[in-house]
Amino acid sequence: KNQVEQSPQSLIILEGKNCTLQCNYTVSPFSNLRWYKQDTGRGPVSLTIMTFSENTKSNGRYTATLDADTKQSSLHITASQLSDSASYICVVSAGGAGTASKLTFGTGTRLQVTL
Amino acid sequence: ETGVTQTPRHLVMGMTNKKSLKCEQHLGHNAMYWYKQSAKKPLELMFVYNFKEQTENNSVPSRFSPECPNSSHLFLHLHTLQPEDSALYLCASSQEGLAGAGSSYNEQFFGPGTRLTVL
């Protein structure tokens, strides 16, 4: 059964600090891995998408890594800001023609950035 | 949020009511989706429409009825819902590639969601 597990479930950090969120998956065959940011009561917004051949991708202060051998990904947030407070969702896509049924969603990490 | 819009943003309904959720995408995509998001659970795919044809129905109860009149609009008709149906309902769209075409990851773009409360 395809699964995506994220840790920690929730995290509180001080503004300006860095943090790393983890994603472990058992999805086969693997096509790509996505990180989404979801503000409370809003829809998810894509941060990064990585394929099998990519092991790091940045989007501003967000840097995602992918280790396809160990089936792990991380999302590193640098110099956190209050606006980074949100849920971060890891989504893994199985191989083949893209359809939503091949997406496996994690439950997300709830990040709170405080003063 | 002008890419994918959803109305209403909030909805409170009784179990005997009939209501509809509306989604509109302005991205020229050919596929649209309904998801249910409950607290502390992963997004659950409900329905998929590809080129206006329903291609997926993930064992969703018949009290949820989707409608896709064209590639830009998607509706979710609700009737005789249960309190456990209270959740955030998200619409998404993507450009699905044809077999053999180059992949653009088929990235999904989500709307802001409708927060549904069933009393």
Side-chain angles (χ1 to χ4, degrees), chain A residues 32-74:
Chain A
N32 58 73
L33 183 146
R34 317 161 187 215
W35 282 95
Y36 282 89
K37 176 186 178 187
Q38 185 177 20
D39 292 316
T40 301
R42 310 297 286 262
V45 175
S46 178
L47 293 175
T48 63
I49 300 176
M50 289 183 292
T51 60
F52 183 88
S53 60
E54 298 172 298
N55 54 24
T56 186
K57 184 167 278 189
S58 292
N59 178 359
R61 294 180 296 102
Y62 301 101
T63 299
T65 64
L66 173 64
D67 185 332
D69 292 330
T70 61
K71 298 186 178 180
Q72 295 179 325
S73 176
S74 65

XYZ file of all heavy atoms in Angstrom, chain A residues 32-74:
339
model
N 7.235 11.494 -9.013
C 7.747 12.759 -8.499
C 7.229 13.002 -7.093
O 6.282 12.346 -6.637
C 7.382 13.932 -9.417
C 5.888 14.082 -9.610
O 5.175 14.512 -8.709
N 5.392 13.723 -10.786
N 7.876 13.925 -6.418
C 7.492 14.275 -5.046
C 7.293 15.774 -4.983
O 8.089 16.535 -5.505
C 8.572 13.829 -4.052
C 8.288 14.063 -2.554
C 8.901 12.935 -1.722
C 8.778 15.396 -2.085
N 6.222 16.173 -4.309
C 5.853 17.587 -4.233
C 5.708 18.007 -2.776
O 5.253 17.239 -1.955
C 4.524 17.821 -4.956
C 4.423 17.091 -6.286
C 2.996 16.955 -6.731
N 2.933 16.096 -7.921
C 2.077 16.269 -8.923
N 1.191 17.241 -8.874
N 2.085 15.479 -9.958
N 6.066 19.220 -2.516
C 5.778 19.843 -1.229
C 4.794 20.974 -1.471
O 4.988 21.800 -2.366
C 7.039 20.401 -0.588
C 7.908 19.371 0.049
C 8.988 18.727 -0.506
C 7.795 18.858 1.385
N 9.536 17.855 0.399
C 8.822 17.920 1.575
C 6.925 19.106 2.455
C 9.007 17.223 2.773
C 7.098 18.419 3.651
C 8.133 17.490 3.804
N 3.738 20.988 -0.648
C 2.737 22.042 -0.706
C 2.709 22.786 0.630
O 2.923 22.184 1.686
C 1.337 21.474 -0.951
C 1.035 21.070 -2.371
C 1.310 19.786 -2.822
C 0.445 21.961 -3.252
C 1.011 19.399 -4.114
C 0.133 21.593 -4.557
C 0.417 20.313 -4.976
O 0.109 19.940 -6.261
N 2.380 24.076 0.561
C 2.128 24.876 1.754
C 0.644 25.187 1.789
O 0.072 25.624 0.781
C 2.935 26.178 1.713
C 2.652 27.102 2.890
C 3.369 28.437 2.705
C 3.054 29.371 3.862
N 3.602 30.738 3.643
N 0.035 24.938 2.932
C -1.387 25.216 3.068
C -1.641 26.099 4.274
O -1.487 25.667 5.418
C -2.200 23.925 3.195
C -3.705 24.168 3.226
C -4.512 22.891 3.269
O -4.024 21.828 3.625
N -5.778 22.973 2.870
N -2.046 27.329 4.022
C -2.453 28.223 5.100
C -3.808 27.767 5.630
O -4.607 27.156 4.911
C -2.542 29.660 4.599
C -1.181 30.219 4.239
O -0.223 30.018 5.010
O -1.053 30.844 3.170
N -4.070 28.104 6.886
C -5.300 27.667 7.531
C -6.518 28.107 6.731
O -6.650 29.282 6.382
C -5.385 28.236 8.959
O -4.263 27.783 9.708
C -6.663 27.763 9.646
N -7.408 27.160 6.417
C -8.642 27.459 5.702
C -8.458 27.796 4.231
O -9.388 28.302 3.603
N -7.283 27.506 3.713
C -7.016 27.795 2.299
C -6.577 26.529 1.575
O -6.307 25.500 2.188
C -5.915 28.864 2.164
C -6.140 30.087 3.012
C -7.388 30.821 2.607
N -7.227 31.533 1.361
C -6.956 32.828 1.285
N -6.802 33.543 2.373
N -6.851 33.416 0.108
N -6.503 26.609 0.245
C -6.035 25.472 -0.527
C -4.519 25.367 -0.532
O -3.824 26.365 -0.340
N -3.987 24.174 -0.753
C -2.531 24.000 -0.820
C -1.939 24.732 -2.021
O -2.559 24.807 -3.084
C -2.365 22.483 -0.972
C -3.663 21.892 -0.519
C -4.707 22.905 -0.875
N -0.736 25.235 -1.831
C -0.001 25.921 -2.886
C 1.329 25.210 -3.070
O 2.036 24.939 -2.095
C 0.236 27.404 -2.532
C 1.097 28.070 -3.593
C -1.093 28.135 -2.402
N 1.670 24.891 -4.301
C 2.883 24.139 -4.574
C 4.140 24.948 -4.251
O 4.243 26.123 -4.598
C 2.912 23.717 -6.047
O 4.096 23.021 -6.342
N 5.103 24.301 -3.581
C 6.399 24.912 -3.303
C 7.464 24.365 -4.244
O 8.215 25.117 -4.846
C 6.807 24.638 -1.852
C 5.974 25.283 -0.751
C 6.453 24.808 0.615
C 6.041 26.802 -0.848
N 7.566 23.039 -4.310
C 8.564 22.404 -5.166
C 8.027 21.090 -5.715
O 7.155 20.473 -5.119
C 9.866 22.092 -4.402
O 9.573 21.140 -3.370
C 10.486 23.329 -3.780
N 8.571 20.696 -6.839
C 8.306 19.376 -7.416
C 9.647 18.797 -7.837
O 10.445 19.486 -8.496
C 7.377 19.459 -8.644
C 6.041 20.079 -8.267
C 7.148 18.074 -9.220
C 5.118 20.264 -9.452
N 9.897 17.549 -7.448
C 11.163 16.904 -7.802
C 10.916 15.536 -8.407
O 10.066 14.775 -7.934
C 12.040 16.753 -6.552
C 12.599 18.060 -6.038
S 13.691 17.811 -4.643
C 12.502 17.258 -3.422
N 11.655 15.246 -9.463
C 11.590 13.927 -10.068
C 12.710 13.053 -9.504
O 13.517 13.500 -8.682
C 11.753 14.020 -11.591
O 13.030 14.610 -11.886
C 10.663 14.885 -12.196
N 12.761 11.828 -9.991
C 13.710 10.841 -9.495
C 15.151 11.341 -9.609
O 15.986 11.068 -8.745
C 13.539 9.555 -10.302
C 14.411 8.429 -9.843
C 13.980 7.566 -8.860
C 15.670 8.223 -10.407
C 14.778 6.520 -8.431
C 16.472 7.178 -9.981
C 16.024 6.331 -8.995
N 15.432 12.092 -10.658
C 16.818 12.491 -10.927
C 17.250 13.752 -10.187
O 18.416 14.120 -10.218
C 17.010 12.712 -12.426
O 16.143 13.728 -12.879
N 16.317 14.400 -9.517
C 16.645 15.640 -8.814
C 16.794 15.352 -7.331
O 15.910 14.739 -6.725
C 15.551 16.688 -9.033
C 15.384 17.087 -10.485
C 14.166 17.969 -10.699
O 13.041 17.494 -10.439
O 14.345 19.120 -11.132
N 17.875 15.821 -6.716
C 18.016 15.573 -5.283
C 17.945 16.839 -4.452
O 17.967 16.769 -3.220
C 19.298 14.808 -4.968
C 20.514 15.497 -5.537
O 20.508 16.699 -5.762
N 21.568 14.737 -5.765
N 17.820 17.991 -5.097
C 17.577 19.210 -4.346
C 16.939 20.246 -5.246
O 17.217 20.299 -6.447
C 18.876 19.751 -3.720
O 18.561 20.876 -2.876
C 19.858 20.208 -4.796
N 16.041 21.028 -4.651
C 15.393 22.099 -5.394
C 15.007 23.202 -4.421
O 14.471 22.902 -3.338
C 14.173 21.593 -6.141
C 13.497 22.636 -7.019
C 12.492 22.037 -7.969
C 13.162 21.485 -9.199
N 12.191 21.090 -10.237
N 15.266 24.431 -4.810
C 15.003 25.572 -3.926
C 13.925 26.477 -4.491
O 13.749 26.586 -5.708
C 16.278 26.382 -3.706
O 17.217 25.647 -2.962
N 13.220 27.101 -3.598
C 12.203 28.097 -3.941
C 12.291 29.169 -2.868
O 11.648 29.078 -1.818
C 10.820 27.456 -3.975
C 9.719 28.469 -4.276
O 9.984 29.666 -4.436
N 8.492 27.997 -4.365
N 13.154 30.152 -3.102
C 13.363 31.186 -2.093
C 13.986 30.604 -0.843
O 15.050 29.984 -0.900
N 13.333 30.796 0.304
C 13.879 30.288 1.569
C 13.531 28.805 1.788
O 13.885 28.240 2.817
C 13.339 31.137 2.715
C 13.828 32.585 2.682
C 13.268 33.397 3.842
N 11.811 33.519 3.757
C 10.969 32.812 4.476
N 11.413 31.918 5.358
N 9.659 32.974 4.332
N 12.848 28.217 0.852
C 12.488 26.799 0.965
C 13.434 25.960 0.104
O 13.629 26.259 -1.074
C 11.052 26.560 0.479
C 9.995 27.332 1.231
C 9.449 28.497 0.705
C 9.537 26.892 2.467
C 8.456 29.189 1.383
C 8.559 27.576 3.153
C 8.020 28.726 2.611
O 7.047 29.411 3.301
N 14.015 24.920 0.691
C 14.868 24.002 -0.044
C 14.411 22.578 0.235
O 14.368 22.154 1.393
C 16.342 24.154 0.348
O 16.775 25.476 0.046
C 17.206 23.158 -0.428
N 14.057 21.876 -0.821
C 13.636 20.486 -0.678
C 14.751 19.565 -1.144
O 15.479 19.880 -2.084
C 12.372 20.226 -1.494
N 14.899 18.446 -0.457
C 15.862 17.423 -0.865
C 15.132 16.109 -1.075
O 14.069 15.874 -0.495
C 16.960 17.232 0.192
O 16.362 16.737 1.399
C 17.687 18.539 0.472
N 15.706 15.287 -1.900
C 15.103 13.986 -2.183
C 16.190 12.925 -2.244
O 17.190 13.099 -2.940
C 14.345 14.025 -3.512
C 13.799 12.693 -4.029
C 12.740 12.143 -3.084
C 13.235 12.849 -5.435
N 16.012 11.860 -1.501
C 16.890 10.698 -1.577
C 16.007 9.536 -2.035
O 15.287 8.937 -1.231
C 17.528 10.403 -0.213
C 18.549 9.281 -0.284
O 18.418 8.397 -1.175
O 19.481 9.262 0.542
N 16.063 9.235 -3.334
C 15.192 8.203 -3.893
C 15.596 6.806 -3.432
O 14.782 5.879 -3.483
C 15.210 8.280 -5.415
N 16.835 6.663 -3.002
C 17.284 5.348 -2.534
C 16.655 5.003 -1.194
O 16.177 3.885 -0.981
C 18.815 5.310 -2.419
C 19.482 5.385 -3.771
O 18.876 4.909 -4.755
O 20.604 5.925 -3.858
N 16.664 5.970 -0.283
C 16.077 5.732 1.043
C 14.611 6.143 1.093
O 13.949 5.953 2.119
C 16.848 6.505 2.121
O 16.768 7.907 1.832
C 18.307 6.071 2.157
N 14.118 6.713 -0.004
C 12.717 7.150 -0.088
C 12.398 8.156 1.010
O 11.414 8.022 1.764
C 11.775 5.947 -0.040
C 11.983 4.998 -1.222
C 10.959 3.890 -1.271
C 11.196 3.018 -2.500
N 10.213 1.921 -2.605
N 13.271 9.157 1.082
C 13.073 10.216 2.049
C 13.206 11.568 1.375
O 13.981 11.742 0.435
C 14.114 10.112 3.178
C 13.987 8.855 4.013
C 15.046 8.789 5.093
O 16.183 9.236 4.907
N 14.690 8.236 6.241
N 12.459 12.529 1.889
C 12.563 13.897 1.430
C 12.519 14.814 2.640
O 11.955 14.453 3.687
C 11.418 14.239 0.476
O 11.461 15.605 0.091
N 13.125 15.970 2.507
C 13.051 16.959 3.575
C 12.762 18.320 2.970
O 13.080 18.577 1.806
C 14.351 17.005 4.378
O 15.410 17.459 3.565
